[in-house]
């Protein structure tokens, strides 16, 4: 119960700050700004910001030290969701239980809203009031996690692999880039702004990589056995598109077991005292939603 309260509190604080950072929909071009706010402020658990904030605290900082950085990470995540949903990629009509951005505003505005969110993320991160060395380091981490070596690269490999035989190595590469990279960046950036030393930052990075894989496996499983209400989009869409997923390669039960094992390894990477309880609960959440 305490974990859920804290997670909701983080989400509410992030939502409030995002509403301040996003351009007002009354400003021109109004439709672009409305689309940005529609997608970025859609109901969500704000897991990546929660990881960022919790890792900042665990590294010795305060929530204020990483607050705007956490919002920047969420903007990158929302940019990726808008583009992933487009007809040229996943062609989804629903996201978080709502019409996707391109359904609501049209493809052109959706593409541009994603672009604008991506730019705003780095503008926001560059303005964080902290040691300039930390800001530069965080920008480097988020840049690497966002581009061809991270989520965009993972999405590209994922698209090109549709309908083709998949190996275990390629599947893990897709998931590590597509989902693991941004979650790992969330954790690493939190540790950077929390003032963690190199050992702590590396531990947070490994923690995020492993828990990111667990989260993506959970999404794979939920796409097979969950409900549209729980998933926020159509169930079975991965199978219909013949996407590379853990259930497709290993089956449901083996996938669940792998998610649990990755969660255990993620927790093993942490050698923390302050705030690690919340991180442990947040990690378990990735597996709990498989039941």
């Amino acid at each position: 119960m305490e974990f859920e309260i804290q997670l909701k509190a983080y989400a509410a604080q992030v939502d409030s700050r995002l509403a301040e950072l996003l351009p007002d929909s009354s400003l021109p071009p109004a439709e672009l700004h409305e689309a940005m706010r529609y997608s970025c402020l859609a109901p969500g658990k704000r897991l990546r910001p929660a990881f960022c904030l919790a890792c900042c605290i665990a590294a010795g900082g305060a929530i204020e030290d990483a607050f705007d950085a956490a919002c920047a990470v969420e903007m990158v995540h929302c940019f990726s969701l808008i583009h992933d949903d487009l007809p040229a990629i996943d062609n989804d009509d629903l996201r978080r239980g709502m019409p996707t951005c391109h359904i609501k505003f049209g493809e052109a505005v959706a593409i541009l809203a994603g672009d604008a969110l991506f730019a705003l993320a780095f503008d926001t991160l560059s303005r964080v009031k902290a040691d300039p060395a930390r800001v530069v380091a965080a920008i480097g981490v988020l840049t690497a996690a966002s581009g061809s070596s991270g989520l965009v690269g993972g999405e590209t490999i994922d698209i090109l692999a549709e309908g083709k035989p998949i190996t275990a190595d390629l599947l893990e590469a897709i998931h590590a880039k597509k989902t693991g990279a941004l979650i790992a960046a969330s954790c690493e950036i939190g540790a950077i702004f929390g003032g963690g030393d190199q050992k702590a930052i590396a531990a947070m990075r490994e923690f995020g990589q492993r828990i990111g894989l667990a989260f993506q496996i959970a999404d794979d499983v939920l796409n097979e056995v969950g409900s549209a209400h729980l998933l926020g989009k159509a169930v079975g869409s991965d199978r219909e598109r013949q996407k590379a997923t853990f259930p497709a390669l290993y089956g449901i039960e083996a996938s669940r077991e792998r998610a649990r094992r990755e969660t255990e390894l993620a927790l093993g990477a942490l050698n923390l005292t302050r705030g690690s309880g919340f991180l442990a609960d947040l990690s378990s959440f990735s597996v709990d939603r498989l039941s």
Side-chain angles (χ1 to χ4, degrees), residues 84-203:
D84 286 356
D85 290 337
L86 289 167
I89 303 182
D90 286 348
N91 195 27
D92 280 322
D93 294 338
L94 289 175
R95 169 67 66 179
R96 293 173 172 172
M98 298 165 56
T100 49
C101 190
H102 71 273
I103 294 294
K104 179 80 172 178
F105 297 95
E107 288 183 48
V109 172
I111 292 169
L112 295 170
D115 293 344
L117 280 172
F118 189 72
L120 183 59
F122 285 94
D123 179 62
T124 299
L125 190 54
S126 73
R127 296 174 187 271
V128 172
K129 295 179 180 179
D131 182 335
R134 294 181 184 178
V135 174
V136 170
I139 289 173
V141 170
L142 190 57
T143 300
S146 303
S148 61
S149 62
L151 70 87
V152 173
E155 183 67 33
T156 302
I157 301 170
D158 189 25
I159 292 167
L160 296 177
E162 287 184 10
K164 299 177 182 177
I166 188 75
T167 65
D169 287 345
L170 186 59
L171 176 60
E172 299 217 10
I174 291 170
H175 283 19
K177 291 174 179 287
K178 184 178 173 181
T179 303
L182 191 56
I183 292 181
S186 304
C187 297
E188 186 173 357
I189 289 169
I192 289 170
F193 283 116
D197 58 21
Q198 290 304 310
K199 183 178 180 180
I201 292 171

